[in-house]
Amino acid sequence: MRIKTDITALGELLIDFTPAGVSQQGMRLFEQNPGGAPANLLAAAAKFGRKTAFIGKVGKDMHGDFLKETLIRAGINTDNLIQDDYETKLHLVERFVSLKENGEREFAFARKPGADTKLCMKEIDPEILENTRVFHVGSLSLTDDPSRTATYEAI
């Protein structure tokens, strides 16, 4: 077996909308930031020169495009990132983040369902699983089927 990636991760790729001040009209502003634990792990590993790849699903819209481009700029292989054609504003994982005075984060998810939960095993190329040193999964991929079953089968 020839190893092609050091780390492959499967799971959520999402947007954190974090507080970014107040508008001139006094309305709270939010900033679009890429996130998701599996993608964050890969981005850190790629900075250290590791070959990384992401397996997952996002919407086929401006948010999904933004997330894919973010992975590409971070040096993460996106051959197994699927952008699907569902009603993407409902299928993209988004979360709003608020910060408490003590610095703790609080999350509100807009994910009913998220594109990440629609990933099926038949959409995962088995070759990527066979040719990686480390396989990492995110916890959100285990919350709903078919992604839960696909995650267990991939493992």
Side-chain angles (χ1 to χ4, degrees):
M1 169 173 58
R2 185 169 176 261
I3 301 299
K4 294 181 182 174
T5 60
D6 295 307
I7 305 171
T8 299
L10 179 151
E12 69 275 7
L13 178 59
L14 50 82
I15 294 174
D16 287 328
F17 288 99
T18 55
V22 179
S23 73
Q24 290 180 349
Q25 295 78 22
M27 304 302 255
R28 289 187 345 181
L29 299 173
F30 289 88
E31 181 177 71
Q32 178 189 39
N33 293 288
N40 292 343
L41 169 90
L42 295 177
K47 282 184 180 182
F48 286 100
R50 299 295 179 210
K51 293 184 73 168
T52 60
F54 184 83
I55 300 171
K57 190 179 268 196
V58 295
K60 192 172 191 176
D61 60 10
M62 67 178 192
H63 295 306
D65 293 343
F66 166 73
L67 291 168
K68 182 175 183 175
E69 183 58 35
T70 298
L71 292 184
I72 291 168
R73 280 195 320 272
I76 300 167
N77 179 304
T78 60
D79 291 348
N80 288 271
L81 175 64
I82 299 165
Q83 289 187 267
D84 77 26
D85 289 321
Y86 289 100
E87 295 174 354
T88 55
K89 64 183 176 182
L90 297 176
H91 287 75
L92 176 70
V93 177
E94 299 171 344
R95 68 181 174 185
F96 287 84
V97 182
S98 65
L99 299 174
K100 297 181 181 180
E101 287 184 27
N102 65 2
E104 284 294 317
R105 299 171 300 164
E106 186 174 355
F107 300 103
F109 284 88
R111 180 180 185 248
K112 297 182 180 158
D116 63 313
T117 66
K118 299 299 181 187
L119 183 69
C120 300
M121 187 61 199
K122 68 182 179 191
E123 297 172 307
I124 299 172
D125 181 357
E127 188 174 315
I128 193 167
L129 300 172
E130 295 166 2
N131 293 296
T132 189
R133 291 185 190 280
V134 175
F135 182 56
H136 172 77
V137 299
S139 60
L140 291 181
S141 67
L142 299 170
T143 59
D144 292 298
D145 272 320
S147 67
R148 175 181 25 233
T149 299
T151 300
Y152 285 131
E153 288 179 20
I155 291 169

